[in-house]
Amino acid sequence: MTEAAALPGQPRGGVLSGPATSRAVNVLAPNASPMTLDGTNTWIVAEPGSDLAVVIDPGPLDDTHLRAVIETAERAGRRIALTLLTHGHPDHAEGAARFAELTRTKVRALDPTLRLGDEGLTTGDVITTGGLELRVVPTPGHTADSLSFHLPADRAVLTGDTILGRGTTVVAHPDGRLGDYLDSLRRLRSLTVDDGVHTVLPGHGPVLDDAQGAVEFYLAHRAHRLAQVETAVEAGHRSASEVVAQVYADVDRSLWPAAELSVLAQLEYLGEHGLI
C-alpha cells in the first residue's frame, strides 16, 4: 500500500492539472494558500467525441488562468458552452463574469446573484450539454449555496469545497450550517452506496479514488470535533475563540480564524440539539 492510498479517500499523487477521468480535466489555478491548498481546481467536463465542454468553477479573477482553461479546451478540439459554479466563494467564482465574457457563455449557479443568464441550478437538474450528463446534487453546509455535480458515466462527483482532496473543509458560519453539512455528507455517501460513485473530483487538492472512504472519514471527523467542542464547553470554555484555543491547539494558528467559523457552527448545532 502506498502512502497516498493509506490516507483518507486514497488521494492520487503526481501533478494535479490534467485528465482525471474519461470526461474531466483539471486546470489548477495559481492561487495556492493555506485555505485553498494547491489552488482552485477548475474542471473542464465533456463527453468523449463531443466538441462542446462545460466548465465548473472558473476560479479567481486571473486572466492568465482563465485563458489557460479556454486554451486547454481548444487543444482538445472543444468549445466551452456553459459555466457552472459549485458555490460563490471568490476563489471559485470571482472569475466567472470575466470567463463568461471571454467564452460568451452563460453562468449557472444556485445563488441568483452569481448567475449570468436566465437559468439557475436546482435540485434534480440534469445538464446535458454536448451529450454530457451532469446531475445537480444539493450539498449545503460549507455555504448555503453549495452544490455538487454527479458525473454518472465516470462514477464520479465534483464536490467543490464540500469534500476536499486533502484535509477537511470549513463550515463557514453563519452562511454555512453544520446540520446541513452533515446531511450533505450523508447524501454523498448514498451516491457511493446506491449509485456506484467511487471518485471525488474536489474543488481543491488531489482526486480521491475512494469516495466512500472520504465521506466516512469526514463524518467521523465531524463527530469527533463535535465531541471535543462539547467537552471544551463543559470545561468552561464558552466563546468560540476559547474553544478554538483548546480544541485546535495543534493546528497552524494561521487557520484559527477559519476554525473559529467552524466552531461557531458547531456551537450553534449543539445548542439547537440541546447538547450544551
Side-chain angles (χ1 to χ4, degrees), residues 235-274:
H237 304 285
R238 295 293 176 178
S239 71
S241 59
E242 289 173 342
V243 172
V244 167
Q246 181 72 16
V247 173
Y248 292 81
D250 59 342
V251 174
D252 187 332
R253 282 177 174 258
S254 69
L255 298 176
W256 279 19
E260 191 166 324
L261 295 178
S262 278
V263 166
L264 286 168
Q266 289 164 333
L267 291 171
E268 179 182 63
Y269 178 87
L270 291 168
E272 289 172 347
H273 289 78

PDB file of all heavy atoms in Angstrom, residues 235-274:
ATOM      1  N   ALA A 235     -16.034  22.244  30.134  1.00  0.00           N
ATOM      2  CA  ALA A 235     -14.882  22.631  30.955  1.00  0.00           C
ATOM      3  C   ALA A 235     -14.818  24.136  31.198  1.00  0.00           C
ATOM      4  O   ALA A 235     -13.888  24.615  31.851  1.00  0.00           O
ATOM      5  CB  ALA A 235     -13.597  22.150  30.306  1.00  0.00           C
ATOM      6  N   GLY A 236     -15.789  24.873  30.632  1.00  0.00           N
ATOM      7  CA  GLY A 236     -15.856  26.299  30.902  1.00  0.00           C
ATOM      8  C   GLY A 236     -15.400  27.207  29.786  1.00  0.00           C
ATOM      9  O   GLY A 236     -15.373  28.429  29.946  1.00  0.00           O
ATOM     10  N   HIS A 237     -15.028  26.637  28.646  1.00  0.00           N
ATOM     11  CA  HIS A 237     -14.602  27.448  27.502  1.00  0.00           C
ATOM     12  C   HIS A 237     -15.846  27.820  26.698  1.00  0.00           C
ATOM     13  O   HIS A 237     -16.390  27.003  25.962  1.00  0.00           O
ATOM     14  CB  HIS A 237     -13.601  26.669  26.639  1.00  0.00           C
ATOM     15  CG  HIS A 237     -12.404  26.197  27.394  1.00  0.00           C
ATOM     16  ND1 HIS A 237     -11.381  27.032  27.775  1.00  0.00           N
ATOM     17  CD2 HIS A 237     -12.074  24.965  27.864  1.00  0.00           C
ATOM     18  CE1 HIS A 237     -10.461  26.349  28.426  1.00  0.00           C
ATOM     19  NE2 HIS A 237     -10.860  25.086  28.495  1.00  0.00           N
ATOM     20  N   ARG A 238     -16.293  29.046  26.828  1.00  0.00           N
ATOM     21  CA  ARG A 238     -17.594  29.437  26.295  1.00  0.00           C
ATOM     22  C   ARG A 238     -17.536  30.114  24.932  1.00  0.00           C
ATOM     23  O   ARG A 238     -18.387  29.888  24.086  1.00  0.00           O
ATOM     24  CB  ARG A 238     -18.289  30.372  27.301  1.00  0.00           C
ATOM     25  CG  ARG A 238     -18.628  29.700  28.620  1.00  0.00           C
ATOM     26  CD  ARG A 238     -19.687  28.641  28.422  1.00  0.00           C
ATOM     27  NE  ARG A 238     -19.969  27.898  29.649  1.00  0.00           N
ATOM     28  CZ  ARG A 238     -20.887  26.950  29.733  1.00  0.00           C
ATOM     29  NH1 ARG A 238     -21.609  26.645  28.681  1.00  0.00           N
ATOM     30  NH2 ARG A 238     -21.077  26.298  30.858  1.00  0.00           N
ATOM     31  N   SER A 239     -16.564  30.991  24.714  1.00  0.00           N
ATOM     32  CA  SER A 239     -16.514  31.713  23.430  1.00  0.00           C
ATOM     33  C   SER A 239     -15.869  30.836  22.370  1.00  0.00           C
ATOM     34  O   SER A 239     -15.137  29.887  22.666  1.00  0.00           O
ATOM     35  CB  SER A 239     -15.724  33.011  23.585  1.00  0.00           C
ATOM     36  OG  SER A 239     -14.346  32.732  23.751  1.00  0.00           O
ATOM     37  N   ALA A 240     -16.150  31.179  21.114  1.00  0.00           N
ATOM     38  CA  ALA A 240     -15.568  30.414  20.008  1.00  0.00           C
ATOM     39  C   ALA A 240     -14.049  30.467  20.040  1.00  0.00           C
ATOM     40  O   ALA A 240     -13.376  29.460  19.792  1.00  0.00           O
ATOM     41  CB  ALA A 240     -16.092  30.943  18.676  1.00  0.00           C
ATOM     42  N   SER A 241     -13.483  31.630  20.351  1.00  0.00           N
ATOM     43  CA  SER A 241     -12.025  31.758  20.383  1.00  0.00           C
ATOM     44  C   SER A 241     -11.422  30.892  21.484  1.00  0.00           C
ATOM     45  O   SER A 241     -10.367  30.282  21.301  1.00  0.00           O
ATOM     46  CB  SER A 241     -11.616  33.215  20.573  1.00  0.00           C
ATOM     47  OG  SER A 241     -12.151  33.747  21.769  1.00  0.00           O
ATOM     48  N   GLU A 242     -12.097  30.802  22.626  1.00  0.00           N
ATOM     49  CA  GLU A 242     -11.615  29.948  23.711  1.00  0.00           C
ATOM     50  C   GLU A 242     -11.670  28.476  23.312  1.00  0.00           C
ATOM     51  O   GLU A 242     -10.743  27.710  23.604  1.00  0.00           O
ATOM     52  CB  GLU A 242     -12.459  30.173  24.967  1.00  0.00           C
ATOM     53  CG  GLU A 242     -12.237  31.519  25.636  1.00  0.00           C
ATOM     54  CD  GLU A 242     -13.218  31.764  26.770  1.00  0.00           C
ATOM     55  OE1 GLU A 242     -14.264  31.081  26.828  1.00  0.00           O
ATOM     56  OE2 GLU A 242     -12.928  32.637  27.592  1.00  0.00           O
ATOM     57  N   VAL A 243     -12.735  28.097  22.640  1.00  0.00           N
ATOM     58  CA  VAL A 243     -12.865  26.703  22.209  1.00  0.00           C
ATOM     59  C   VAL A 243     -11.803  26.360  21.171  1.00  0.00           C
ATOM     60  O   VAL A 243     -11.191  25.280  21.215  1.00  0.00           O
ATOM     61  CB  VAL A 243     -14.276  26.442  21.654  1.00  0.00           C
ATOM     62  CG1 VAL A 243     -14.360  25.048  21.028  1.00  0.00           C
ATOM     63  CG2 VAL A 243     -15.320  26.592  22.753  1.00  0.00           C
ATOM     64  N   VAL A 244     -11.547  27.276  20.235  1.00  0.00           N
ATOM     65  CA  VAL A 244     -10.518  27.037  19.219  1.00  0.00           C
ATOM     66  C   VAL A 244      -9.160  26.824  19.877  1.00  0.00           C
ATOM     67  O   VAL A 244      -8.413  25.897  19.522  1.00  0.00           O
ATOM     68  CB  VAL A 244     -10.463  28.202  18.210  1.00  0.00           C
ATOM     69  CG1 VAL A 244      -9.200  28.109  17.345  1.00  0.00           C
ATOM     70  CG2 VAL A 244     -11.692  28.190  17.324  1.00  0.00           C
ATOM     71  N   ALA A 245      -8.813  27.676  20.834  1.00  0.00           N
ATOM     72  CA  ALA A 245      -7.522  27.552  21.503  1.00  0.00           C
ATOM     73  C   ALA A 245      -7.392  26.208  22.212  1.00  0.00           C
ATOM     74  O   ALA A 245      -6.286  25.643  22.303  1.00  0.00           O
ATOM     75  CB  ALA A 245      -7.338  28.690  22.495  1.00  0.00           C
ATOM     76  N   GLN A 246      -8.511  25.666  22.680  1.00  0.00           N
ATOM     77  CA  GLN A 246      -8.493  24.389  23.374  1.00  0.00           C
ATOM     78  C   GLN A 246      -8.497  23.211  22.409  1.00  0.00           C
ATOM     79  O   GLN A 246      -7.703  22.277  22.534  1.00  0.00           O
ATOM     80  CB  GLN A 246      -9.721  24.300  24.295  1.00  0.00           C
ATOM     81  CG  GLN A 246      -9.829  23.025  25.105  1.00  0.00           C
ATOM     82  CD  GLN A 246      -8.815  22.934  26.215  1.00  0.00           C
ATOM     83  OE1 GLN A 246      -8.205  23.939  26.588  1.00  0.00           O
ATOM     84  NE2 GLN A 246      -8.619  21.737  26.749  1.00  0.00           N
ATOM     85  N   VAL A 247      -9.394  23.255  21.431  1.00  0.00           N
ATOM     86  CA  VAL A 247      -9.630  22.098  20.563  1.00  0.00           C
ATOM     87  C   VAL A 247      -8.657  22.055  19.384  1.00  0.00           C
ATOM     88  O   VAL A 247      -8.256  20.978  18.929  1.00  0.00           O
ATOM     89  CB  VAL A 247     -11.087  22.102  20.064  1.00  0.00           C
ATOM     90  CG1 VAL A 247     -11.323  21.013  19.025  1.00  0.00           C
ATOM     91  CG2 VAL A 247     -12.037  21.939  21.245  1.00  0.00           C
ATOM     92  N   TYR A 248      -8.267  23.239  18.883  1.00  0.00           N
ATOM     93  CA  TYR A 248      -7.406  23.303  17.696  1.00  0.00           C
ATOM     94  C   TYR A 248      -5.979  23.715  18.049  1.00  0.00           C
ATOM     95  O   TYR A 248      -5.282  24.302  17.229  1.00  0.00           O
ATOM     96  CB  TYR A 248      -7.998  24.291  16.686  1.00  0.00           C
ATOM     97  CG  TYR A 248      -9.297  23.840  16.056  1.00  0.00           C
ATOM     98  CD1 TYR A 248     -10.507  23.989  16.734  1.00  0.00           C
ATOM     99  CD2 TYR A 248      -9.338  23.260  14.794  1.00  0.00           C
ATOM    100  CE1 TYR A 248     -11.705  23.584  16.175  1.00  0.00           C
ATOM    101  CE2 TYR A 248     -10.527  22.849  14.219  1.00  0.00           C
ATOM    102  CZ  TYR A 248     -11.710  23.015  14.917  1.00  0.00           C
ATOM    103  OH  TYR A 248     -12.902  22.607  14.348  1.00  0.00           O
ATOM    104  N   ALA A 249      -5.550  23.373  19.249  1.00  0.00           N
ATOM    105  CA  ALA A 249      -4.219  23.785  19.713  1.00  0.00           C
ATOM    106  C   ALA A 249      -3.105  23.253  18.825  1.00  0.00           C
ATOM    107  O   ALA A 249      -2.047  23.881  18.700  1.00  0.00           O
ATOM    108  CB  ALA A 249      -4.016  23.325  21.152  1.00  0.00           C
ATOM    109  N   ASP A 250      -3.336  22.107  18.170  1.00  0.00           N
ATOM    110  CA  ASP A 250      -2.296  21.504  17.333  1.00  0.00           C
ATOM    111  C   ASP A 250      -2.377  21.950  15.872  1.00  0.00           C
ATOM    112  O   ASP A 250      -1.618  21.480  15.028  1.00  0.00           O
ATOM    113  CB  ASP A 250      -2.391  19.978  17.398  1.00  0.00           C
ATOM    114  CG  ASP A 250      -3.736  19.443  16.934  1.00  0.00           C
ATOM    115  OD1 ASP A 250      -4.712  20.236  16.894  1.00  0.00           O
ATOM    116  OD2 ASP A 250      -3.832  18.251  16.616  1.00  0.00           O
ATOM    117  N   VAL A 251      -3.298  22.878  15.571  1.00  0.00           N
ATOM    118  CA  VAL A 251      -3.485  23.362  14.193  1.00  0.00           C
ATOM    119  C   VAL A 251      -2.731  24.671  14.012  1.00  0.00           C
ATOM    120  O   VAL A 251      -2.654  25.493  14.926  1.00  0.00           O
ATOM    121  CB  VAL A 251      -4.996  23.564  13.917  1.00  0.00           C
ATOM    122  CG1 VAL A 251      -5.221  24.204  12.554  1.00  0.00           C
ATOM    123  CG2 VAL A 251      -5.733  22.232  14.010  1.00  0.00           C
ATOM    124  N   ASP A 252      -2.154  24.863  12.829  1.00  0.00           N
ATOM    125  CA  ASP A 252      -1.450  26.104  12.494  1.00  0.00           C
ATOM    126  C   ASP A 252      -2.332  27.304  12.857  1.00  0.00           C
ATOM    127  O   ASP A 252      -3.488  27.391  12.439  1.00  0.00           O
ATOM    128  CB  ASP A 252      -1.141  26.102  10.992  1.00  0.00           C
ATOM    129  CG  ASP A 252      -0.267  27.276  10.553  1.00  0.00           C
ATOM    130  OD1 ASP A 252      -0.315  28.331  11.199  1.00  0.00           O
ATOM    131  OD2 ASP A 252       0.444  27.124   9.548  1.00  0.00           O
ATOM    132  N   ARG A 253      -1.767  28.249  13.609  1.00  0.00           N
ATOM    133  CA  ARG A 253      -2.556  29.389  14.074  1.00  0.00           C
ATOM    134  C   ARG A 253      -3.091  30.241  12.924  1.00  0.00           C
ATOM    135  O   ARG A 253      -4.074  30.967  13.102  1.00  0.00           O
ATOM    136  CB  ARG A 253      -1.715  30.258  15.021  1.00  0.00           C
ATOM    137  CG  ARG A 253      -1.598  29.674  16.421  1.00  0.00           C
ATOM    138  CD  ARG A 253      -0.702  30.522  17.304  1.00  0.00           C
ATOM    139  NE  ARG A 253      -0.704  30.025  18.673  1.00  0.00           N
ATOM    140  CZ  ARG A 253      -1.394  30.560  19.676  1.00  0.00           C
ATOM    141  NH1 ARG A 253      -2.157  31.616  19.458  1.00  0.00           N
ATOM    142  NH2 ARG A 253      -1.341  30.057  20.900  1.00  0.00           N
ATOM    143  N   SER A 254      -2.461  30.171  11.762  1.00  0.00           N
ATOM    144  CA  SER A 254      -2.987  30.935  10.626  1.00  0.00           C
ATOM    145  C   SER A 254      -4.362  30.432  10.200  1.00  0.00           C
ATOM    146  O   SER A 254      -5.106  31.140   9.513  1.00  0.00           O
ATOM    147  CB  SER A 254      -2.018  30.869   9.437  1.00  0.00           C
ATOM    148  OG  SER A 254      -1.971  29.554   8.884  1.00  0.00           O
ATOM    149  N   LEU A 255      -4.700  29.212  10.601  1.00  0.00           N
ATOM    150  CA  LEU A 255      -6.002  28.637  10.258  1.00  0.00           C
ATOM    151  C   LEU A 255      -7.031  28.821  11.361  1.00  0.00           C
ATOM    152  O   LEU A 255      -8.189  28.432  11.190  1.00  0.00           O
ATOM    153  CB  LEU A 255      -5.831  27.138   9.952  1.00  0.00           C
ATOM    154  CG  LEU A 255      -4.927  26.788   8.770  1.00  0.00           C
ATOM    155  CD1 LEU A 255      -4.777  25.283   8.644  1.00  0.00           C
ATOM    156  CD2 LEU A 255      -5.444  27.388   7.475  1.00  0.00           C
ATOM    157  N   TRP A 256      -6.642  29.415  12.477  1.00  0.00           N
ATOM    158  CA  TRP A 256      -7.584  29.580  13.592  1.00  0.00           C
ATOM    159  C   TRP A 256      -8.793  30.447  13.242  1.00  0.00           C
ATOM    160  O   TRP A 256      -9.902  30.140  13.694  1.00  0.00           O
ATOM    161  CB  TRP A 256      -6.859  30.135  14.819  1.00  0.00           C
ATOM    162  CG  TRP A 256      -6.127  29.074  15.589  1.00  0.00           C
ATOM    163  CD1 TRP A 256      -5.758  27.831  15.144  1.00  0.00           C
ATOM    164  CD2 TRP A 256      -5.673  29.149  16.947  1.00  0.00           C
ATOM    165  NE1 TRP A 256      -5.092  27.139  16.127  1.00  0.00           N
ATOM    166  CE2 TRP A 256      -5.023  27.921  17.245  1.00  0.00           C
ATOM    167  CE3 TRP A 256      -5.725  30.130  17.923  1.00  0.00           C
ATOM    168  CZ2 TRP A 256      -4.453  27.659  18.494  1.00  0.00           C
ATOM    169  CZ3 TRP A 256      -5.164  29.871  19.172  1.00  0.00           C
ATOM    170  CH2 TRP A 256      -4.539  28.648  19.452  1.00  0.00           C
ATOM    171  N   PRO A 257      -8.654  31.538  12.470  1.00  0.00           N
ATOM    172  CA  PRO A 257      -9.862  32.293  12.106  1.00  0.00           C
ATOM    173  C   PRO A 257     -10.895  31.441  11.367  1.00  0.00           C
ATOM    174  O   PRO A 257     -12.102  31.563  11.614  1.00  0.00           O
ATOM    175  CB  PRO A 257      -9.313  33.420  11.225  1.00  0.00           C
ATOM    176  CG  PRO A 257      -7.907  33.604  11.702  1.00  0.00           C
ATOM    177  CD  PRO A 257      -7.423  32.222  12.015  1.00  0.00           C
ATOM    178  N   ALA A 258     -10.425  30.581  10.473  1.00  0.00           N
ATOM    179  CA  ALA A 258     -11.345  29.679   9.775  1.00  0.00           C
ATOM    180  C   ALA A 258     -11.914  28.649  10.741  1.00  0.00           C
ATOM    181  O   ALA A 258     -13.110  28.323  10.688  1.00  0.00           O
ATOM    182  CB  ALA A 258     -10.626  28.983   8.625  1.00  0.00           C
ATOM    183  N   ALA A 259     -11.063  28.148  11.639  1.00  0.00           N
ATOM    184  CA  ALA A 259     -11.536  27.187  12.635  1.00  0.00           C
ATOM    185  C   ALA A 259     -12.606  27.808  13.523  1.00  0.00           C
ATOM    186  O   ALA A 259     -13.559  27.132  13.937  1.00  0.00           O
ATOM    187  CB  ALA A 259     -10.365  26.694  13.480  1.00  0.00           C
ATOM    188  N   GLU A 260     -12.476  29.104  13.799  1.00  0.00           N
ATOM    189  CA  GLU A 260     -13.470  29.777  14.636  1.00  0.00           C
ATOM    190  C   GLU A 260     -14.842  29.790  13.963  1.00  0.00           C
ATOM    191  O   GLU A 260     -15.874  29.657  14.632  1.00  0.00           O
ATOM    192  CB  GLU A 260     -13.010  31.197  14.952  1.00  0.00           C
ATOM    193  CG  GLU A 260     -13.832  31.870  16.023  1.00  0.00           C
ATOM    194  CD  GLU A 260     -13.185  33.138  16.563  1.00  0.00           C
ATOM    195  OE1 GLU A 260     -11.943  33.174  16.678  1.00  0.00           O
ATOM    196  OE2 GLU A 260     -13.940  34.078  16.860  1.00  0.00           O
ATOM    197  N   LEU A 261     -14.863  29.929  12.634  1.00  0.00           N
ATOM    198  CA  LEU A 261     -16.138  29.859  11.914  1.00  0.00           C
ATOM    199  C   LEU A 261     -16.788  28.489  12.095  1.00  0.00           C
ATOM    200  O   LEU A 261     -17.994  28.379  12.329  1.00  0.00           O
ATOM    201  CB  LEU A 261     -15.925  30.152  10.426  1.00  0.00           C
ATOM    202  CG  LEU A 261     -15.449  31.556  10.054  1.00  0.00           C
ATOM    203  CD1 LEU A 261     -15.253  31.648   8.547  1.00  0.00           C
ATOM    204  CD2 LEU A 261     -16.440  32.613  10.521  1.00  0.00           C
ATOM    205  N   SER A 262     -15.961  27.438  11.977  1.00  0.00           N
ATOM    206  CA  SER A 262     -16.496  26.089  12.168  1.00  0.00           C
ATOM    207  C   SER A 262     -16.970  25.872  13.599  1.00  0.00           C
ATOM    208  O   SER A 262     -17.995  25.230  13.838  1.00  0.00           O
ATOM    209  CB  SER A 262     -15.435  25.043  11.794  1.00  0.00           C
ATOM    210  OG  SER A 262     -15.398  24.828  10.397  1.00  0.00           O
ATOM    211  N   VAL A 263     -16.224  26.410  14.568  1.00  0.00           N
ATOM    212  CA  VAL A 263     -16.629  26.258  15.961  1.00  0.00           C
ATOM    213  C   VAL A 263     -17.962  26.972  16.213  1.00  0.00           C
ATOM    214  O   VAL A 263     -18.836  26.447  16.917  1.00  0.00           O
ATOM    215  CB  VAL A 263     -15.535  26.772  16.913  1.00  0.00           C
ATOM    216  CG1 VAL A 263     -16.082  26.942  18.340  1.00  0.00           C
ATOM    217  CG2 VAL A 263     -14.361  25.795  16.927  1.00  0.00           C
ATOM    218  N   LEU A 264     -18.136  28.148  15.643  1.00  0.00           N
ATOM    219  CA  LEU A 264     -19.417  28.847  15.774  1.00  0.00           C
ATOM    220  C   LEU A 264     -20.560  27.983  15.228  1.00  0.00           C
ATOM    221  O   LEU A 264     -21.641  27.912  15.826  1.00  0.00           O
ATOM    222  CB  LEU A 264     -19.364  30.189  15.048  1.00  0.00           C
ATOM    223  CG  LEU A 264     -18.556  31.288  15.734  1.00  0.00           C
ATOM    224  CD1 LEU A 264     -18.343  32.461  14.783  1.00  0.00           C
ATOM    225  CD2 LEU A 264     -19.260  31.764  17.002  1.00  0.00           C
ATOM    226  N   ALA A 265     -20.322  27.326  14.103  1.00  0.00           N
ATOM    227  CA  ALA A 265     -21.334  26.437  13.533  1.00  0.00           C
ATOM    228  C   ALA A 265     -21.575  25.232  14.445  1.00  0.00           C
ATOM    229  O   ALA A 265     -22.718  24.782  14.613  1.00  0.00           O
ATOM    230  CB  ALA A 265     -20.907  25.975  12.143  1.00  0.00           C
ATOM    231  N   GLN A 266     -20.512  24.716  15.054  1.00  0.00           N
ATOM    232  CA  GLN A 266     -20.654  23.583  15.967  1.00  0.00           C
ATOM    233  C   GLN A 266     -21.410  23.980  17.232  1.00  0.00           C
ATOM    234  O   GLN A 266     -22.273  23.228  17.713  1.00  0.00           O
ATOM    235  CB  GLN A 266     -19.260  23.036  16.305  1.00  0.00           C
ATOM    236  CG  GLN A 266     -18.606  22.327  15.128  1.00  0.00           C
ATOM    237  CD  GLN A 266     -17.109  22.139  15.336  1.00  0.00           C
ATOM    238  OE1 GLN A 266     -16.460  22.901  16.041  1.00  0.00           O
ATOM    239  NE2 GLN A 266     -16.566  21.105  14.710  1.00  0.00           N
ATOM    240  N   LEU A 267     -21.097  25.148  17.769  1.00  0.00           N
ATOM    241  CA  LEU A 267     -21.799  25.626  18.963  1.00  0.00           C
ATOM    242  C   LEU A 267     -23.289  25.823  18.668  1.00  0.00           C
ATOM    243  O   LEU A 267     -24.157  25.477  19.482  1.00  0.00           O
ATOM    244  CB  LEU A 267     -21.179  26.928  19.457  1.00  0.00           C
ATOM    245  CG  LEU A 267     -19.755  26.822  20.042  1.00  0.00           C
ATOM    246  CD1 LEU A 267     -19.181  28.213  20.297  1.00  0.00           C
ATOM    247  CD2 LEU A 267     -19.748  25.998  21.316  1.00  0.00           C
ATOM    248  N   GLU A 268     -23.580  26.379  17.501  1.00  0.00           N
ATOM    249  CA  GLU A 268     -24.978  26.562  17.100  1.00  0.00           C
ATOM    250  C   GLU A 268     -25.685  25.215  17.021  1.00  0.00           C
ATOM    251  O   GLU A 268     -26.810  25.049  17.510  1.00  0.00           O
ATOM    252  CB  GLU A 268     -25.031  27.278  15.755  1.00  0.00           C
ATOM    253  CG  GLU A 268     -26.434  27.504  15.229  1.00  0.00           C
ATOM    254  CD  GLU A 268     -26.423  28.169  13.861  1.00  0.00           C
ATOM    255  OE1 GLU A 268     -25.897  27.563  12.900  1.00  0.00           O
ATOM    256  OE2 GLU A 268     -26.939  29.287  13.751  1.00  0.00           O
ATOM    257  N   TYR A 269     -25.033  24.245  16.404  1.00  0.00           N
ATOM    258  CA  TYR A 269     -25.613  22.900  16.246  1.00  0.00           C
ATOM    259  C   TYR A 269     -25.856  22.253  17.605  1.00  0.00           C
ATOM    260  O   TYR A 269     -26.938  21.700  17.865  1.00  0.00           O
ATOM    261  CB  TYR A 269     -24.658  22.045  15.411  1.00  0.00           C
ATOM    262  CG  TYR A 269     -25.114  20.621  15.200  1.00  0.00           C
ATOM    263  CD1 TYR A 269     -25.956  20.297  14.134  1.00  0.00           C
ATOM    264  CD2 TYR A 269     -24.694  19.595  16.051  1.00  0.00           C
ATOM    265  CE1 TYR A 269     -26.375  18.985  13.933  1.00  0.00           C
ATOM    266  CE2 TYR A 269     -25.106  18.283  15.856  1.00  0.00           C
ATOM    267  CZ  TYR A 269     -25.939  17.991  14.794  1.00  0.00           C
ATOM    268  OH  TYR A 269     -26.358  16.686  14.600  1.00  0.00           O
ATOM    269  N   LEU A 270     -24.881  22.312  18.493  1.00  0.00           N
ATOM    270  CA  LEU A 270     -25.021  21.718  19.816  1.00  0.00           C
ATOM    271  C   LEU A 270     -26.148  22.380  20.600  1.00  0.00           C
ATOM    272  O   LEU A 270     -26.913  21.705  21.301  1.00  0.00           O
ATOM    273  CB  LEU A 270     -23.705  21.801  20.577  1.00  0.00           C
ATOM    274  CG  LEU A 270     -22.561  20.925  20.047  1.00  0.00           C
ATOM    275  CD1 LEU A 270     -21.229  21.319  20.706  1.00  0.00           C
ATOM    276  CD2 LEU A 270     -22.861  19.456  20.285  1.00  0.00           C
ATOM    277  N   GLY A 271     -26.247  23.727  20.467  1.00  0.00           N
ATOM    278  CA  GLY A 271     -27.322  24.443  21.144  1.00  0.00           C
ATOM    279  C   GLY A 271     -28.691  24.052  20.607  1.00  0.00           C
ATOM    280  O   GLY A 271     -29.641  23.859  21.379  1.00  0.00           O
ATOM    281  N   GLU A 272     -28.807  23.938  19.290  1.00  0.00           N
ATOM    282  CA  GLU A 272     -30.085  23.574  18.677  1.00  0.00           C
ATOM    283  C   GLU A 272     -30.558  22.185  19.101  1.00  0.00           C
ATOM    284  O   GLU A 272     -31.752  21.912  19.157  1.00  0.00           O
ATOM    285  CB  GLU A 272     -29.971  23.636  17.153  1.00  0.00           C
ATOM    286  CG  GLU A 272     -29.862  25.045  16.589  1.00  0.00           C
ATOM    287  CD  GLU A 272     -29.558  25.066  15.108  1.00  0.00           C
ATOM    288  OE1 GLU A 272     -29.192  23.991  14.548  1.00  0.00           O
ATOM    289  OE2 GLU A 272     -29.675  26.131  14.501  1.00  0.00           O
ATOM    290  N   HIS A 273     -29.591  21.320  19.385  1.00  0.00           N
ATOM    291  CA  HIS A 273     -29.926  19.936  19.759  1.00  0.00           C
ATOM    292  C   HIS A 273     -29.907  19.733  21.274  1.00  0.00           C
ATOM    293  O   HIS A 273     -29.955  18.576  21.739  1.00  0.00           O
ATOM    294  CB  HIS A 273     -28.973  18.976  19.064  1.00  0.00           C
ATOM    295  CG  HIS A 273     -29.200  18.862  17.589  1.00  0.00           C
ATOM    296  ND1 HIS A 273     -28.769  19.821  16.702  1.00  0.00           N
ATOM    297  CD2 HIS A 273     -29.849  17.922  16.841  1.00  0.00           C
ATOM    298  CE1 HIS A 273     -29.126  19.469  15.468  1.00  0.00           C
ATOM    299  NE2 HIS A 273     -29.793  18.341  15.535  1.00  0.00           N
ATOM    300  N   GLY A 274     -29.821  20.824  22.017  1.00  0.00           N
ATOM    301  CA  GLY A 274     -29.891  20.746  23.463  1.00  0.00           C
ATOM    302  C   GLY A 274     -28.727  20.031  24.116  1.00  0.00           C
ATOM    303  O   GLY A 274     -28.845  19.485  25.219  1.00  0.00           O
TER     304      GLY A 274
END
